[in-house]
Amino acid sequence: NAGVTQTPKFQVLKTGQSMTLQCAQDMNHEYMSWYRQDPGMGLRLIHYSVGAGITDQGEVPNGYNVSRSTTEDFPLRLLSAAPSQTSVYFCASSRAGHPGLAGGRGETQYFGPGTRLLVL
Amino acid sequence: GENVEQHPSTLSVQEGDSAVIKCTYSDSASNYFPWYKQELGKRPQLIIDIRSNVGEKKDQRIAVTLNKTAKHFSLHITETQPEDSAVYFCAARGGADGLTFGKGTHLIIQP
C-alpha cells in the first residue's frame, strides 16, 4: 500500500491564483481530513469527510473548498490564494469516522507527506 | 469546540533522563487522545494513544497517562535517546470531526 499520498510536494502561487492540492489513500479509509500547519500553531483542521459524498468544515475553512466523490480521493481547492494561506498542508485518513468504531482502532489517523505552499 | 493546551513549548533534557509533556483539554466529551512525533520536514507519526476508558498505557520507553476528572493527559519518555529529539503534539477527539492539536513541544536531547 502507498498509504496517504499528496501532490504536489511544493507549490508557489501568486495572490489571487487558484489551485487544487491532491490527496489520495489506498487503504479504503472512510474518514479523510485536511490540516494546515503553521509555526507555533500546531495543526489546524480545515475540512473533513466521513465518507464519499459527505464533507464538513473544520476550525479554519475560509478560503478552501473540498469534495469527496470517491472513497480514495479528497482534493483541497484554494479559490483565490492569499499570503495568509502560506503553510504546510497535511492530508490524513483513518478507517472510521468516529472514535470507538471499527474495533477501537479505527480512529488512528495516518498523515500524508505534506504540501508546502508559498503564496506571494 | 475543543481546546487543547500543551506545555512546555520547549523541553531540553540530558540523554538518559526522563521527559514529560503535559496537555489539558476543554471538552469533557473527548474520548480519544493520541500523541504524534514530527521530525523536521516530515509528517506527524502516531507514537501512542489512549482512550478515555483507560488511565495509563505504556509502550516500551513511552507512556501516556490520562486524568479525565482534571481533563489532562501527559506523555512520559524514559531513558531518552538522541533520536527522541523532535516536536511532539498531543491531540484530542470526541466526535466525528477531526483532531484538535496542541501547539507542540520541541524536545531537545542534550548529549
Side-chain angles (χ1 to χ4, degrees), chain B residues 2-107:
Chain B
E2 176 66 275
N3 182 49
V4 177
E5 299 283 343
Q6 182 172 347
H7 299 280
S9 57
T10 303
L11 178 60
S12 181
V13 301
Q14 290 294 122
E15 183 178 348
D17 287 350
S18 295
V20 181
I21 303 170
K22 299 180 179 181
C23 289
T24 60
Y25 62 99
S26 60
D27 188 351
S28 57
S30 288
N31 58 7
Y32 174 65
F33 308 92
W35 286 87
Y36 285 84
K37 176 184 180 181
Q38 187 178 30
E39 297 175 342
L40 189 63
K42 301 286 184 64
R43 75 189 78 187
Q45 299 270 18
L46 179 73
I47 55 172
I48 196 168
D49 56 11
I50 192 168
R51 289 165 183 80
S52 58
N53 59 347
V54 176
E56 184 174 0
K57 183 177 179 181
K58 190 174 182 180
D59 183 3
Q60 299 182 337
R61 296 187 297 109
I62 296 173
V64 58
T65 58
L66 171 65
N67 183 325
K68 285 190 297 182
T69 303
K71 290 190 282 188
H72 67 71
F73 56 113
S74 301
L75 177 71
H76 304 253
I77 305 175
T78 59
E79 300 173 10
T80 53
Q81 300 170 2
E83 53 265 35
D84 295 330
S85 293
V87 179
Y88 291 80
F89 292 96
C90 63
R93 186 180 185 193
D97 54 356
L99 293 167
T100 300
F101 283 84
K103 293 184 178 180
T105 296
H106 186 193
L107 178 61

Side-chain angles (χ1 to χ4, degrees), chain A residues 1 3-4 24-33 49-52 68 70-74 92-97 105-111:
Chain A
N1 287 352
V4 182
Q25 51 87 13
D26 61 358
M27 299 175 281
N28 201 31
H29 283 175
E30 293 181 359
Y31 182 89
M32 297 185 75
S33 55
S49 169
V50 298
R68 185 93 180 272
T70 67
T71 299
E72 295 78 20
D73 300 296
F74 190 44
S93 74
S94 64
R95 192 151 56 98
R105 294 304 304 172
E107 64 268 67
T108 299
Q109 291 203 33
Y110 300 89
F111 283 84

